[in-house]
Amino acid sequence: MKKTNSEWAKTLEPEQFLILREEGTEMPGSSDLNDEKRKGSYHCVGCDQKLFSSEMKYDSGSGWPSFFQSFENVFETKTDHLQGYPRTEYHCIKCGGHHGHIFDDGPKPTGKRYCNNGKVLTFKEEK
Ligand SMILES: [Zn+2]
């Protein structure tokens, strides 16, 4: 699942490209998935890998879709300093696409907050 940036640019919307391939961040409150509460799953827009379920989502009030947990072995993490201080960035293990950052202010039981860009997630409703 390795593509060059010009190949990615053909298959992604410009904003999706900016987030997935260049670690960009969408404007808070700009994704329809902030208020998504139906039962279903959230997939990577780059490779369709299943990342989160609706049971893992919660309302953090941050303006970005937030999850206290992901499925196992779907992400890799690294530390970035894009804001001048260390943050834990995570990206899809399958296509390498950047999704967001993990913070330690989430709810129990994990205490984690996966702050995910909504524009790089595809929601699939479970009926
Ligand atoms: Zn992916």
mmCIF file of all heavy atoms in Angstrom, residues 1 8 20-21 43-49 51 74-75 91-99 120, ligand 1:
data_model
loop_
_atom_site.group_PDB
_atom_site.id
_atom_site.type_symbol
_atom_site.label_atom_id
_atom_site.label_comp_id
_atom_site.label_asym_id
_atom_site.label_seq_id
_atom_site.Cartn_x
_atom_site.Cartn_y
_atom_site.Cartn_z
ATOM 1 N N MET A 1 0.835 -1.210 0.000
ATOM 2 C CA MET A 1 0.000 0.000 0.000
ATOM 3 C C MET A 1 0.863 1.251 0.000
ATOM 4 O O MET A 1 0.597 2.213 0.700
ATOM 5 C CB MET A 1 -0.904 -0.041 1.228
ATOM 6 C CG MET A 1 -2.129 0.883 1.160
ATOM 7 S SD MET A 1 -3.280 0.514 -0.151
ATOM 8 C CE MET A 1 -4.071 2.133 -0.283
ATOM 9 N N TRP A 8 -1.054 9.752 -4.677
ATOM 10 C CA TRP A 8 -2.019 10.094 -3.634
ATOM 11 C C TRP A 8 -2.823 11.331 -4.019
ATOM 12 O O TRP A 8 -4.023 11.397 -3.794
ATOM 13 C CB TRP A 8 -1.311 10.354 -2.298
ATOM 14 C CG TRP A 8 -0.952 9.120 -1.550
ATOM 15 C CD1 TRP A 8 0.306 8.684 -1.245
ATOM 16 C CD2 TRP A 8 -1.846 8.157 -0.979
ATOM 17 N NE1 TRP A 8 0.244 7.513 -0.545
ATOM 18 C CE2 TRP A 8 -1.062 7.163 -0.364
ATOM 19 C CE3 TRP A 8 -3.233 8.019 -0.946
ATOM 20 C CZ2 TRP A 8 -1.614 6.060 0.287
ATOM 21 C CZ3 TRP A 8 -3.786 6.925 -0.299
ATOM 22 C CH2 TRP A 8 -2.993 5.961 0.311
ATOM 23 N N LEU A 20 -3.457 13.669 5.447
ATOM 24 C CA LEU A 20 -2.867 12.321 5.441
ATOM 25 C C LEU A 20 -1.387 12.322 5.105
ATOM 26 O O LEU A 20 -0.606 11.603 5.717
ATOM 27 C CB LEU A 20 -3.579 11.429 4.417
ATOM 28 C CG LEU A 20 -4.943 10.844 4.772
ATOM 29 C CD1 LEU A 20 -5.417 9.954 3.633
ATOM 30 C CD2 LEU A 20 -4.906 10.045 6.069
ATOM 31 N N ARG A 21 -1.009 13.100 4.096
ATOM 32 C CA ARG A 21 0.362 13.001 3.585
ATOM 33 C C ARG A 21 1.267 14.079 4.145
ATOM 34 O O ARG A 21 2.484 13.948 4.091
ATOM 35 C CB ARG A 21 0.379 13.070 2.055
ATOM 36 C CG ARG A 21 -0.569 12.131 1.321
ATOM 37 C CD ARG A 21 -0.592 10.689 1.808
ATOM 38 N NE ARG A 21 0.686 10.055 1.955
ATOM 39 C CZ ARG A 21 0.848 8.829 2.468
ATOM 40 N NH1 ARG A 21 -0.185 8.128 2.860
ATOM 41 N NH2 ARG A 21 2.050 8.311 2.578
ATOM 42 N N HIS A 43 -13.406 4.304 9.071
ATOM 43 C CA HIS A 43 -12.348 3.710 8.248
ATOM 44 C C HIS A 43 -11.402 4.784 7.732
ATOM 45 O O HIS A 43 -11.788 5.937 7.571
ATOM 46 C CB HIS A 43 -12.969 2.982 7.059
ATOM 47 C CG HIS A 43 -13.855 1.842 7.447
ATOM 48 N ND1 HIS A 43 -13.564 0.532 7.153
ATOM 49 C CD2 HIS A 43 -15.023 1.816 8.147
ATOM 50 C CE1 HIS A 43 -14.522 -0.250 7.635
ATOM 51 N NE2 HIS A 43 -15.416 0.498 8.247
ATOM 52 N N CYS A 44 -10.167 4.370 7.427
ATOM 53 C CA CYS A 44 -9.171 5.270 6.836
ATOM 54 C C CYS A 44 -9.568 5.583 5.399
ATOM 55 O O CYS A 44 -9.835 4.678 4.615
ATOM 56 C CB CYS A 44 -7.804 4.586 6.868
ATOM 57 S SG CYS A 44 -6.502 5.538 6.064
ATOM 58 N N VAL A 45 -9.574 6.855 5.053
ATOM 59 C CA VAL A 45 -9.971 7.256 3.710
ATOM 60 C C VAL A 45 -8.877 6.893 2.685
ATOM 61 O O VAL A 45 -9.150 6.741 1.493
ATOM 62 C CB VAL A 45 -10.320 8.773 3.700
ATOM 63 C CG1 VAL A 45 -9.133 9.627 3.359
ATOM 64 C CG2 VAL A 45 -11.499 9.072 2.833
ATOM 65 N N GLY A 46 -7.655 6.676 3.177
ATOM 66 C CA GLY A 46 -6.562 6.311 2.265
ATOM 67 C C GLY A 46 -6.588 4.859 1.836
ATOM 68 O O GLY A 46 -6.254 4.528 0.699
ATOM 69 N N CYS A 47 -6.969 3.956 2.747
ATOM 70 C CA CYS A 47 -6.836 2.524 2.444
ATOM 71 C C CYS A 47 -8.027 1.706 2.922
ATOM 72 O O CYS A 47 -8.034 0.489 2.763
ATOM 73 C CB CYS A 47 -5.559 1.982 3.073
ATOM 74 S SG CYS A 47 -5.626 1.949 4.882
ATOM 75 N N ASP A 48 -9.015 2.337 3.532
ATOM 76 C CA ASP A 48 -10.241 1.678 3.988
ATOM 77 C C ASP A 48 -10.041 0.778 5.216
ATOM 78 O O ASP A 48 -10.934 0.043 5.604
ATOM 79 C CB ASP A 48 -10.899 0.886 2.848
ATOM 80 C CG ASP A 48 -12.389 0.699 3.091
ATOM 81 O OD1 ASP A 48 -13.013 1.613 3.649
ATOM 82 O OD2 ASP A 48 -12.917 -0.372 2.740
ATOM 83 N N GLN A 49 -8.879 0.830 5.832
ATOM 84 C CA GLN A 49 -8.695 0.032 7.049
ATOM 85 C C GLN A 49 -9.654 0.521 8.143
ATOM 86 O O GLN A 49 -9.842 1.730 8.329
ATOM 87 C CB GLN A 49 -7.254 0.137 7.562
ATOM 88 C CG GLN A 49 -7.080 -0.573 8.896
ATOM 89 C CD GLN A 49 -5.633 -0.733 9.341
ATOM 90 O OE1 GLN A 49 -5.266 -1.790 9.770
ATOM 91 N NE2 GLN A 49 -4.825 0.306 9.234
ATOM 92 N N LEU A 51 -10.640 1.558 11.676
ATOM 93 C CA LEU A 51 -9.819 2.138 12.740
ATOM 94 C C LEU A 51 -10.536 2.221 14.086
ATOM 95 O O LEU A 51 -9.946 1.956 15.131
ATOM 96 C CB LEU A 51 -9.382 3.547 12.328
ATOM 97 C CG LEU A 51 -8.648 3.664 10.990
ATOM 98 C CD1 LEU A 51 -8.454 5.128 10.629
ATOM 99 C CD2 LEU A 51 -7.312 2.935 11.048
ATOM 100 N N VAL A 74 -3.679 -0.971 14.349
ATOM 101 C CA VAL A 74 -4.084 -0.209 13.159
ATOM 102 C C VAL A 74 -3.260 1.071 13.002
ATOM 103 O O VAL A 74 -3.238 1.659 11.922
ATOM 104 C CB VAL A 74 -5.591 0.143 13.168
ATOM 105 C CG1 VAL A 74 -6.435 -1.134 13.139
ATOM 106 C CG2 VAL A 74 -5.972 1.030 14.346
ATOM 107 N N PHE A 75 -2.575 1.481 14.088
ATOM 108 C CA PHE A 75 -1.798 2.725 14.039
ATOM 109 C C PHE A 75 -0.362 2.496 14.488
ATOM 110 O O PHE A 75 -0.083 1.598 15.284
ATOM 111 C CB PHE A 75 -2.394 3.773 14.989
ATOM 112 C CG PHE A 75 -3.719 4.326 14.549
ATOM 113 C CD1 PHE A 75 -4.793 4.328 15.426
ATOM 114 C CD2 PHE A 75 -3.893 4.866 13.287
ATOM 115 C CE1 PHE A 75 -6.020 4.847 15.043
ATOM 116 C CE2 PHE A 75 -5.122 5.393 12.895
ATOM 117 C CZ PHE A 75 -6.186 5.377 13.776
ATOM 118 N N HIS A 91 -0.404 7.445 12.855
ATOM 119 C CA HIS A 91 -0.712 7.258 11.442
ATOM 120 C C HIS A 91 -1.105 5.817 11.160
ATOM 121 O O HIS A 91 -0.727 4.897 11.874
ATOM 122 C CB HIS A 91 0.464 7.709 10.573
ATOM 123 C CG HIS A 91 1.781 7.111 10.957
ATOM 124 N ND1 HIS A 91 2.582 7.636 11.942
ATOM 125 C CD2 HIS A 91 2.415 6.006 10.511
ATOM 126 C CE1 HIS A 91 3.661 6.885 12.075
ATOM 127 N NE2 HIS A 91 3.586 5.889 11.225
ATOM 128 N N CYS A 92 -1.863 5.655 10.104
ATOM 129 C CA CYS A 92 -2.380 4.353 9.687
ATOM 130 C C CYS A 92 -1.221 3.414 9.352
ATOM 131 O O CYS A 92 -0.329 3.761 8.585
ATOM 132 C CB CYS A 92 -3.274 4.568 8.470
ATOM 133 S SG CYS A 92 -3.882 3.065 7.724
ATOM 134 N N ILE A 93 -1.259 2.221 9.933
ATOM 135 C CA ILE A 93 -0.157 1.279 9.746
ATOM 136 C C ILE A 93 -0.130 0.752 8.304
ATOM 137 O O ILE A 93 0.911 0.363 7.791
ATOM 138 C CB ILE A 93 -0.287 0.133 10.783
ATOM 139 C CG1 ILE A 93 1.063 -0.445 11.141
ATOM 140 C CG2 ILE A 93 -1.276 -0.918 10.351
ATOM 141 C CD1 ILE A 93 1.033 -1.333 12.363
ATOM 142 N N LYS A 94 -1.277 0.785 7.651
ATOM 143 C CA LYS A 94 -1.388 0.177 6.322
ATOM 144 C C LYS A 94 -0.937 1.122 5.202
ATOM 145 O O LYS A 94 -0.162 0.727 4.342
ATOM 146 C CB LYS A 94 -2.846 -0.241 6.100
ATOM 147 C CG LYS A 94 -3.008 -1.491 5.254
ATOM 148 C CD LYS A 94 -4.422 -2.010 5.354
ATOM 149 C CE LYS A 94 -4.921 -2.445 3.978
ATOM 150 N NZ LYS A 94 -6.375 -2.635 3.968
ATOM 151 N N CYS A 95 -1.407 2.365 5.229
ATOM 152 C CA CYS A 95 -1.058 3.287 4.129
ATOM 153 C C CYS A 95 -0.131 4.407 4.591
ATOM 154 O O CYS A 95 0.323 5.198 3.773
ATOM 155 C CB CYS A 95 -2.315 3.875 3.500
ATOM 156 S SG CYS A 95 -3.185 5.078 4.533
ATOM 157 N N GLY A 96 0.142 4.480 5.903
ATOM 158 C CA GLY A 96 1.050 5.508 6.410
ATOM 159 C C GLY A 96 0.405 6.870 6.591
ATOM 160 O O GLY A 96 1.074 7.828 6.967
ATOM 161 N N GLY A 97 -0.890 6.999 6.315
ATOM 162 C CA GLY A 97 -1.548 8.300 6.384
ATOM 163 C C GLY A 97 -1.684 8.812 7.818
ATOM 164 O O GLY A 97 -2.082 8.083 8.718
ATOM 165 N N HIS A 98 -1.367 10.103 7.997
ATOM 166 C CA HIS A 98 -1.507 10.749 9.303
ATOM 167 C C HIS A 98 -2.989 10.960 9.624
ATOM 168 O O HIS A 98 -3.756 11.391 8.756
ATOM 169 C CB HIS A 98 -0.777 12.098 9.276
ATOM 170 C CG HIS A 98 -1.102 12.996 10.434
ATOM 171 N ND1 HIS A 98 -0.500 12.850 11.665
ATOM 172 C CD2 HIS A 98 -1.968 14.029 10.554
ATOM 173 C CE1 HIS A 98 -0.995 13.774 12.485
ATOM 174 N NE2 HIS A 98 -1.883 14.504 11.838
ATOM 175 N N HIS A 99 -3.379 10.668 10.865
ATOM 176 C CA HIS A 99 -4.785 10.859 11.244
ATOM 177 C C HIS A 99 -4.988 11.898 12.337
ATOM 178 O O HIS A 99 -5.988 12.591 12.348
ATOM 179 C CB HIS A 99 -5.404 9.521 11.689
ATOM 180 C CG HIS A 99 -5.926 8.739 10.528
ATOM 181 N ND1 HIS A 99 -7.215 8.780 10.109
ATOM 182 C CD2 HIS A 99 -5.280 7.933 9.647
ATOM 183 C CE1 HIS A 99 -7.378 8.015 9.032
ATOM 184 N NE2 HIS A 99 -6.215 7.499 8.727
ATOM 185 N N VAL A 120 -10.574 12.625 7.073
ATOM 186 C CA VAL A 120 -9.838 11.462 6.576
ATOM 187 C C VAL A 120 -10.436 10.163 7.115
ATOM 188 O O VAL A 120 -9.804 9.112 7.071
ATOM 189 C CB VAL A 120 -8.329 11.556 6.879
ATOM 190 C CG1 VAL A 120 -7.722 12.706 6.077
ATOM 191 C CG2 VAL A 120 -8.051 11.730 8.369
HETATM 192 ZN ZN ZN B 1 -4.822 3.966 5.814
#
